[in-house]
Amino acid sequence: MPTGLSKRAALGFILVTLTLNSMGIGLMMPVMPSLLTELTSLPVSDAARWGGALAVVYALMQFLFGPTLGNLSDRYGRRPVLLVSMFAMAIDYLIMALSWNLAILFVGRTLAGVSGATFSAASAYIADVSSKEDRAKNFGLVGAGFGIGFVLGPMIGGFLGEYGPRAPFYAAAALSFVNFLFGCFVLPETLRAENRRSFDWRRANPLGALKQLAAYPAVRTLLLAVFLFDIAHYVYPAVWSYYSEEVFGWTPRDIGLSLAFVGIGFAFVQGYLIRVLEPKLGPGRTLLAGLVANLIAFAGLAVADSGAMAYALICFAALGALATPAFTGLMANRVPDNAQGELQGMIASAAGLSMVVSPFVMTQIFAAFSGPEADVTFPGAPFALAGVLILASLLIALPFIRQAAGQRPPDSGQSQSAAE
């Protein structure tokens, strides 16, 4: 951290960076169904399968390279990793804007997946400048930036989509490049020299990083809960556009507005509400509240039959955003400062693996239970499965929730040793 740079200023910069980057992601979501149907000449229910495949490729690269980039940030600092990620995103969106067939789309998504370290490096950045007591609420800035970007991104993407499905990708490319230039001039480095460690290929991969984290059993167990949570949560980017068009007959503009509403909720919950609730409830009860809110949202969306009902359930989905920073804070407090990048890389890798599983499974389930050829019509089936996964995540995390709340879990000896 440069002399004189306050923690508040550093966290403020990360919020701006994540907001700008999320705007680029949100811009393209309302038009993906239109672009895929244009390139494949398939109906929405079948084009969703290709959307899932694109997401799987991106996520697979995240899974394979997340720990590598996390370890690189522990060795060389957060700044270079963030800048490379920003530049790669600009190239990715430009490739997608110019694509004339599916193969080009896959090339762009592969590139973005290999170097897409913005959120993991930003989380390590936040860990660098936060005390252990403040980490859980400060990790909410990741979701807040994501939420604010989603307020603006989908709205702009939905309106630009009226001029063609490629227009938002050009806008996203320009926005990402401006963000890269912004970072080149003002992004400070936060990893202190004494906290850097050598880069080792043996630990800079998913299996090697997981082996290193074996020294922290609580982190390993919580990673499993996070993995299941992520599989469930990624149902939104996987099928929301297709689901809302199929069930509610929404246009790209309608989809963009709904995603903007999601962004408002996420920004409020992770940017403000968690900073009020977490000091009062503690990370354990905050995590519990977030998981229960997700259960309600997924159960309702599975059977929603109107846009108004979907908007009501989005409120619970936004409240469910309490879970992510609470999970991250519980894990970050269990590893040393010189391994924060490795931990965040492993969290990104787990998220990447879940993004391999979730889009494939969720889009296939959506396609199987929707459209004119479905034997059983149940387009909300992906959300029903997501609810089951959230319940499993809650059961796994429950001992740590109870422990953090000041209660001894049933297997108190094991849980206590895991926390140490």
Side-chain angles (χ1 to χ4, degrees):
M1 177 79 68
T3 302
L5 180 64
S6 70
K7 292 181 180 180
R8 185 181 297 274
L11 293 173
F13 176 83
I14 283 295
L15 177 62
V16 171
T17 299
L18 292 172
T19 298
L20 292 175
N21 204 57
S22 296
M23 282 181 63
I25 298 172
L27 277 168
M28 71 178 188
M29 289 185 67
V31 297
M32 279 302 291
S34 300
L35 180 61
L36 288 173
T37 53
E38 173 190 314
L39 294 177
T40 63
S41 300
L42 294 171
V44 171
S45 58
D46 291 329
R49 299 179 189 270
W50 286 110
L54 284 166
V56 165
V57 168
Y58 174 84
L60 183 60
M61 295 301 102
Q62 285 271 287
F63 168 67
L64 294 174
F65 290 93
T68 303
L69 294 171
N71 275 269
L72 285 171
S73 76
D74 282 338
R75 172 62 181 89
Y76 298 104
R78 318 305 182 198
R79 174 185 162 88
V81 176
L82 282 166
L83 290 179
V84 168
S85 175
M86 295 173 195
F87 183 76
M89 289 301 293
I91 299 301
D92 167 50
Y93 290 128
L94 184 60
I95 290 173
M96 296 182 75
L98 297 172
S99 62
W100 58 89
N101 57 42
L102 280 173
I104 303 302
L105 284 180
F106 278 99
V107 170
R109 287 285 81 188
T110 300
L111 172 64
V114 169
S115 56
T118 303
F119 290 101
S120 60
S123 295
Y125 194 108
I126 290 171
D128 289 342
V129 300
S130 302
S131 65
K132 289 189 175 183
E133 293 76 16
D134 290 336
R135 276 176 178 166
K137 65 180 183 181
N138 285 343
F139 280 130
L141 291 175
V142 177
F146 189 79
I148 294 170
F150 257 54
V151 174
L152 302 176
M155 291 180 64
I156 297 172
F159 284 109
L160 289 178
E162 301 297 321
Y163 298 95
R166 299 173 188 273
F169 292 98
Y170 285 111
L175 185 63
S176 297
F177 186 68
V178 169
N179 193 27
F180 164 73
L181 293 178
F182 182 54
C184 285
F185 287 102
V186 302
L187 179 65
E189 180 56 65
T190 58
L191 184 64
R192 299 180 184 275
E194 61 269 23
N195 288 333
R196 302 192 182 198
R197 57 179 174 78
S198 60
F199 180 82
D200 187 349
W201 281 108
R202 290 175 297 180
R203 63 193 296 170
N205 62 81
L207 294 179
L210 187 60
K211 183 178 180 180
Q212 293 298 319
L213 292 177
Y216 312 99
V219 173
R220 185 176 56 191
T221 302
L222 285 168
L223 270 174
L224 176 59
V226 169
F227 176 61
L228 296 176
F229 174 86
D230 284 342
I231 293 177
H233 204 254
Y234 287 128
V235 69
Y236 293 116
V239 303
W240 182 259
S241 297
Y242 312 101
Y243 163 83
S244 57
E245 181 174 325
E246 178 79 11
V247 176
F248 311 127
W250 284 354
T251 66
R253 180 177 296 184
D254 295 326
I255 296 170
L257 289 174
S258 71
L259 292 172
F261 187 70
V262 171
I264 292 172
F266 272 57
F268 173 75
V269 169
Q270 294 199 340
Y272 171 74
L273 189 59
I274 190 171
R275 305 180 75 83
V276 175
L277 291 182
E278 197 275 338
K280 297 179 179 179
L281 299 180
R285 292 190 178 93
T286 302
L287 176 57
L288 178 62
L291 291 173
V292 170
N294 275 293
L295 270 177
I296 295 172
F298 289 135
L301 287 170
V303 296
D305 57 3
S306 70
M309 184 176 179
Y311 269 93
L313 291 164
I314 285 173
C315 296
F316 287 96
L319 189 60
L322 289 169
T324 303
F327 265 131
T328 307
L330 285 175
M331 289 186 286
N333 288 342
R334 288 172 163 84
V335 300
D337 291 339
N338 68 355
Q340 290 296 326
E342 182 171 59
L343 171 64
Q344 301 304 329
M346 194 61 220
I347 293 174
S349 186
L353 182 58
S354 68
M355 283 192 289
V356 172
V357 176
S358 186
F360 176 78
V361 172
M362 298 303 183
T363 54
Q364 295 300 315
I365 290 176
F366 173 77
F369 286 92
S370 63
E373 299 181 359
D375 294 330
V376 177
T377 301
F378 183 28
F383 294 101
L385 175 60
V388 173
L389 293 172
I390 289 293
L391 181 59
S393 177
L394 173 59
L395 293 176
I396 293 171
L398 189 58
F400 304 100
I401 292 173
R402 297 175 65 181
Q403 184 183 51
Q407 301 174 1
R408 295 182 66 84
D411 189 2
S412 59
Q414 181 179 356
S415 299
Q416 182 66 31
S417 63
E420 295 176 348

